[in-house]
Amino acid sequence: MTKKMKRILLAAIAILPLHLCLAAPYQPGHDGQILERLPAAGSANRDLRQLRGQLAARPGQTELAVALAERYIARGKAEADPRDYGHAEGVLKNWLQLPEPPPNVLLLGALIKQHRHDFDGALLDLDKVLRRQPDNAQGWLTRAVILLVQARYRDALQSCAPLIDLDDTLLAGTCLAEANSLLGQAQKSYDFLREALADQPAAGSEQRQWTLAVLADIAARLGKVLDAEKHFAAAASIEQPNVYLFGAYADFLLDQRQPRKVLSLLRDKVRIDALFLRIALAKQQLGGSNLDQAVGELGARFAASRMRGENLHQGDEARFMLHLLHKPEEALRLAKANWQAQREAKDARILLEAAVAAHDPEAAKPVLELLAATGMEHPQLRQLAAQIRQMP
Amino acid sequence: MLFRLILYLLILAYTPMLHAHKASDSYLTLQAAGERIDGRWDIALRDLDYALGLDGDDNGEITWGEVRGRRAAVFDYALSHLHITGGKQACALQPGDYLIDTHTDGAYSVLMFTAACGAALSNITVDYSLLFDLDPQHRGLLRVEYGQATHTAVLGPAHPRQLIELAEARSGAAFWQYLQEGVWHIWLGYDHILFLLSLLFPAVLIRHNRIWLPAEQFRPVLFEVVKIVTAFTVAHSLTLSLATLGVIALPSRWVESAIAASVVLAALNNVYPLISKRLWLVAFGFGLIHGLGFANVLKDLGLPNNMLVLALLAFNLGVETGQLAIVSAFLPAAFLCRRNWGYRRLLVDAGSVLIVLIALVWLTERAMNTQLVDWAFLFE
């Protein structure tokens, strides 16, 4: 069997919901056999269980429910485990069903919706929160982040602005710098944010991490590869890096063709589909022999999530289709659907890449328009856009 | 060979060592047949732990011992969150095997169960509420298998109940399937084709003073053929329906032998004509027997109880369609060639003799329940 045939076979099998058709249930051999390891074993899990117990004893306690839901969301953010968000929603269910949920519940509800990519729903909830609590910094910040994902940079700037009077300046500065950097002000934003970070040595670790991640992203777009690498590494060294940071760092390393660094960065992140995709792409760069298994596994995961009628991963799935399965048309379909929900630079990039591969310059139009309207600095996007303009 | 090996390795590879993070799903498969449903329900151990606390020693690891020890509680919990109704009647759920399987996001307990619904199922309603109170993002991925058909649905808090019309949803497909089976049966049932041809051979001729003369006009010929085919059709439809509905039942060996005998007699009648008028009566009489033969085929195919009549009708229509195709191919050709010496000598006389011989072999084979000729080899 030729290598190509093997690839095709693998690809065909990868898109089947294999775990259903090949599933063979069994009876484990002995009682001691470990079937499943629970996430965050030990004290963290026990704390959560204790809180759950307290809430079960006093089910009406809003503060208790909010505290528990916050814990789940924090873990969900770190581990990108959708079950955590589901559990948070379950804890808050009774309050979310009220005609006017308390603002702190509504805010968490917005975070849960954001995770589900229900961005418009989350924005509506946030507007309700902010009408009642105009000084809710978390509310303005979450709103700005969602608007950035929707490529509504000017709206995002307006959502960053109230933060200036509310919280520490680094939070507001990072928010403003990120939005401005996407509006053709990359160099200015970078210089400003570097200074702002240097001025705030006492900033909290989570804040520093976010600021460093934004600096790294801007530096990469300005072609300052060494600075970007330095910022990424600094951000990742701070405790509990989130999936977003890992994904951005891995993409940067893939662009620098440093697959080994990707593999070591994401060593224990195979559970997370988005990061497992980066692992597979790194294996592809290395030309290793175990790529096929990773491709098959990824395909099964995408199929499993499709079965529940979910399309949260269309951007990643498009990259999977294009770069690992070499199916440009499928990839373009997914990238276009993804663009309807998410419009970050990485979403723009896969749409352009798929449009180039599928020889469909028309599909790239929304991204070309965005680039023209914003003046965004992004060498890879600009290069792809030039390629598309030269297409017949 | 290599292909198989790769496939096998792939299957092994799919017992995922690296479990993914995934939103909570359960996989509920129901196989409906008659009054009974066989169920298989895969529920993640993580979800069961969240709901029931499986990790007894709280060490973050769930062992088979911990899962096995909670069998009754798990079944109670799961089955109390699932209501299946067949028609208007609630089905009683009975726990069965308790196993383990692996999905992309980890180990699942596999709950096997049966549901007794008390009446033949024409539709089922699945009312699902597992885990919705604890995780509104939980989804029940329902799969209902019924005969050849499969229905799937995603059940969530906003859509916890699914009605599945077993008959209706499938009737279109079933009709088409049985229609095709009917056509195929005529095409592949050489005994029916030869019987029909034996009756049709002399249709374009007129028996006069013990010799065959070509018919002068097409209209009487067509009329004769229509009479024969209609008689055959009415007769076999009658017995096919009666046998399928269980009103009459004859051993298939008798029926098959009688069909072979009918072919012998019909062909022999062309060589030594005993009956040259009212051939339609012959067609009707033997048609009754052929209908019983069709019924046996239909029984082998398996009929859905809840749309017996539909399938019967479709199969019958299929048989007619196949028959009509043969007649409309045969009749114009035969009419054109009827004056030709070859038609009478080669086809009607020699052809009929050949048919008699073949049918005699069939008759012997079927009556004695042996095989004299390797037909499959012959027709390859």
Side-chain angles (χ1 to χ4, degrees):
Chain A
M1 189 172 286
T2 67
K3 193 164 183 188
K4 195 178 172 203
M5 275 172 74
K6 201 172 132 196
R7 274 278 152 73
I8 290 169
L9 175 71
L10 266 166
I13 288 171
I15 55 176
L16 291 171
L18 254 196
H19 293 82
L20 275 189
C21 36
L22 298 177
Y26 64 99
Q27 187 159 345
H30 58 98
D31 278 359
Q33 189 171 334
I34 295 166
L35 303 173
E36 184 67 274
R37 285 191 169 80
L38 297 170
S43 64
N45 221 13
R46 261 191 290 278
D47 285 357
L48 280 172
R49 228 175 254 187
Q50 213 171 359
L51 262 175
R52 264 185 89 192
Q54 287 172 20
L55 185 63
R58 286 179 295 163
Q61 282 272 322
T62 314
E63 293 317 310
L64 214 52
V66 167
L68 181 57
E70 274 174 347
R71 297 284 290 272
Y72 279 125
I73 289 173
R75 197 170 79 175
K77 196 178 165 205
E79 282 294 316
D81 188 344
R83 275 192 171 88
D84 284 326
Y85 285 92
H87 293 163
E89 192 180 345
V91 168
L92 298 174
K93 191 174 50 117
N94 293 338
W95 288 270
L96 287 169
Q97 283 166 352
L98 294 173
E100 290 238 346
N104 50 357
V105 172
L106 213 46
L107 182 65
L108 295 179
L111 290 174
I112 294 167
K113 283 184 181 169
Q114 178 194 13
H115 174 258
R116 264 208 320 269
H117 295 189
D118 175 9
F119 297 122
D120 292 329
L123 286 177
L124 278 176
D125 286 353
L126 288 170
D127 286 346
K128 274 187 223 163
V129 172
L130 293 168
R131 229 172 292 140
R132 278 151 70 185
Q133 299 185 335
D135 55 353
N136 190 319
Q138 179 68 38
W140 287 114
L141 181 63
T142 309
R143 191 169 177 275
V145 168
I146 292 175
L147 291 167
L148 285 174
V149 172
Q150 293 188 325
R152 294 161 62 183
Y153 306 132
R154 280 170 238 278
D155 293 338
L157 275 179
Q158 296 202 340
S159 205
C160 297
L163 292 171
I164 300 170
D165 302 326
L166 292 179
D167 218 298
D168 60 320
T169 44
L170 192 54
L171 180 82
T174 309
C175 187
L176 288 165
E178 183 169 11
N180 260 324
S181 78
L182 294 161
L183 285 163
Q185 309 276 333
Q187 184 62 54
K188 259 198 229 167
S189 306
Y190 183 73
D191 295 339
F192 160 78
L193 194 54
R194 265 190 101 159
E195 268 180 47
L197 181 62
D199 287 348
Q200 301 261 335
S205 61
E206 203 184 339
Q207 175 60 54
R208 285 182 64 80
Q209 190 174 52
W210 179 38
T211 304
L212 284 164
V214 172
L215 277 172
D217 174 61
I218 304 176
R221 282 193 281 120
L222 286 170
K224 303 173 192 277
V225 175
L226 292 177
D227 289 323
E229 163 95 70
K230 197 182 71 195
H231 294 314
F232 270 129
S237 69
I238 297 173
E239 244 331 273
Q240 288 261 18
N242 58 44
V243 177
Y244 193 87
L245 173 60
F246 274 124
Y249 192 5
D251 283 344
F252 168 78
L253 291 172
L254 287 169
D255 277 341
Q256 304 307 315
R257 302 203 70 81
Q258 302 201 39
R260 281 179 207 288
K261 277 194 184 169
V262 174
L263 293 182
S264 92
L265 178 72
L266 304 180
R267 209 173 38 246
D268 53 352
K269 298 292 168 196
V270 286
R271 296 187 75 132
I272 300 163
D273 295 355
L275 301 183
F276 193 56
L277 169 74
R278 272 79 172 182
I279 291 174
L281 290 169
K283 285 183 173 171
Q284 187 184 39
Q285 283 191 6
L286 276 172
S289 55
N290 51 0
L291 175 63
D292 290 342
Q293 192 186 344
V295 169
E297 168 74 22
L298 257 179
R301 291 188 189 188
F302 286 128
S305 115
R306 222 177 302 122
M307 273 183 76
R308 56 178 270 131
E310 216 158 59
N311 51 13
L312 301 184
H313 310 287
Q314 289 182 114
D316 285 338
E317 203 178 347
R319 290 176 70 175
F320 172 67
M321 278 289 170
L322 183 63
H323 299 303
L324 292 166
L325 295 188
H326 309 291
K327 288 185 174 171
E329 276 79 21
E330 266 300 285
L332 183 58
R333 187 184 63 74
L334 289 161
K336 277 161 86 174
N338 176 59
W339 184 256
Q340 294 311 310
Q342 303 197 83
R343 299 180 177 182
E344 288 183 81
K346 64 175 161 49
D347 305 303
R349 184 164 171 186
I350 182 60
L351 183 54
L352 293 191
E353 286 172 343
V356 169
H359 306 289
D360 187 350
E362 189 62 26
K365 225 171 132 190
V367 177
L368 301 189
E369 283 168 2
L370 179 73
L371 288 177
T374 58
M376 182 197 304
E377 290 100 332
H378 200 306
Q380 286 99 347
L381 285 184
R382 295 273 165 202
Q383 198 196 336
L384 284 162
Q387 231 175 309
I388 281 169
R389 278 194 214 93
Q390 281 162 13
M391 278 165 80
Chain B
M1 188 57 220
L2 190 57
F3 181 86
R4 279 201 181 172
L5 184 71
I6 289 171
L7 203 66
Y8 179 65
L9 290 174
L10 268 171
I11 293 167
L12 282 187
Y14 268 91
T15 307
M17 291 285 101
L18 359 141
H19 297 151
H21 282 321
K22 188 169 74 55
S24 164
D25 294 318
S26 87
Y27 302 87
L28 175 62
T29 305
L30 303 176
Q31 285 175 320
E35 307 179 356
R36 197 182 129 107
I37 296 170
D38 286 305
R40 170 181 168 174
W41 199 357
D42 293 20
I43 306 173
L45 291 184
R46 267 194 69 186
D47 290 336
L48 286 173
D49 174 67
Y50 190 70
L52 300 172
L54 290 184
D55 185 17
D57 56 4
D58 207 14
N59 65 349
E61 292 171 345
I62 299 178
T63 61
W64 171 235
E66 287 168 335
V67 175
R68 199 174 53 82
R70 303 293 300 280
R71 181 182 191 280
V74 168
F75 264 112
D76 273 356
Y77 177 73
L79 295 184
S80 66
H81 289 89
L82 176 67
H83 296 283
I84 301 176
T85 322
K88 289 194 175 72
Q89 211 158 353
C91 307
L93 304 182
Q94 190 65 41
D97 284 344
Y98 184 61
L99 303 164
I100 295 295
D101 201 357
T102 310
H103 291 264
T104 51
D105 58 334
Y108 280 58
S109 68
V110 177
L111 312 186
M112 309 296 280
F113 62 92
T114 57
C117 304
L121 294 161
S122 60
N123 65 58
I124 55 177
T125 305
V126 177
D127 216 322
Y128 183 104
S129 57
L130 187 80
L131 289 166
F132 289 160
D133 53 336
L134 298 174
D135 180 352
Q137 290 308 308
H138 174 77
R139 296 291 178 268
L141 306 186
L142 172 67
R143 182 182 167 90
V144 177
E145 293 169 0
Y146 179 72
Q148 308 287 319
T150 303
H151 308 261
T152 58
V154 180
L155 304 171
H159 177 67
R161 172 192 286 241
Q162 178 75 37
L163 169 74
I164 289 155
E165 288 288 353
L166 299 176
E168 197 182 290
R170 213 193 142 199
S171 57
F175 189 85
W176 184 236
Q177 184 202 342
Y178 282 95
L179 190 80
Q180 285 176 316
E181 293 289 354
V183 175
W184 271 116
H185 186 62
I186 275 290
W187 269 114
L188 300 175
Y190 300 105
D191 45 1
H192 306 302
I193 296 180
L194 291 186
F195 175 75
L196 204 59
L197 288 179
S198 301
L199 290 183
L200 293 178
F201 277 160
V204 293
L205 307 171
I206 294 168
R207 190 76 179 173
H208 189 72
N209 285 343
R210 310 188 74 186
I211 52 162
W212 292 112
L213 293 174
E216 285 308 314
Q217 289 174 310
F218 185 67
R219 192 185 273 269
V221 168
L222 181 67
F223 187 62
E224 180 67 16
V225 169
V226 168
K227 270 204 297 190
I228 291 172
V229 172
T230 308
F232 185 62
T233 301
V234 170
H236 73 60
S237 301
L238 198 70
T239 43
L240 168 60
S241 307
L242 290 176
T244 308
L245 298 173
V247 181
I248 43 173
L250 288 173
S252 92
R253 190 163 145 199
W254 292 13
V255 171
E256 294 303 316
S257 307
I259 289 174
S262 77
V263 181
V264 174
L265 293 175
L268 207 58
N269 192 48
N270 293 341
V271 187
Y272 299 105
L274 297 173
I275 308 167
S276 56
K277 297 224 163 71
R278 291 200 207 130
L279 267 176
W280 66 270
L281 269 176
V282 179
F284 186 86
F286 288 132
L288 292 173
I289 299 167
H290 283 250
L292 295 174
F294 295 145
N296 287 338
V297 175
L298 205 48
K299 260 181 217 150
D300 290 345
L301 283 175
L303 267 180
N305 312 349
N306 56 345
M307 43 183 171
L308 205 68
V309 177
L310 183 84
L312 191 59
L313 181 71
F315 185 77
N316 224 330
L317 281 177
V319 169
E320 303 326 331
T321 310
Q323 208 168 277
L324 217 64
I326 293 167
V327 171
S328 51
F330 169 80
L331 188 59
F335 191 75
L336 280 177
C337 303
R338 71 193 189 284
R339 293 179 195 284
N340 197 308
W341 170 87
Y343 179 78
R344 273 169 282 164
R345 282 283 158 262
L346 281 182
L347 209 64
V348 180
D349 290 350
S352 293
V353 170
L354 189 66
I355 293 177
V356 169
L357 291 176
I358 292 172
L360 274 174
V361 177
W362 280 339
L363 179 59
T364 323
E365 281 187 347
R366 293 174 187 185
M368 317 289 281
N369 204 13
T370 56
Q371 191 172 22
L372 301 176
V373 178
D374 187 352
W375 297 103
F377 178 76
L378 212 62
F379 284 107
E380 282 278 299

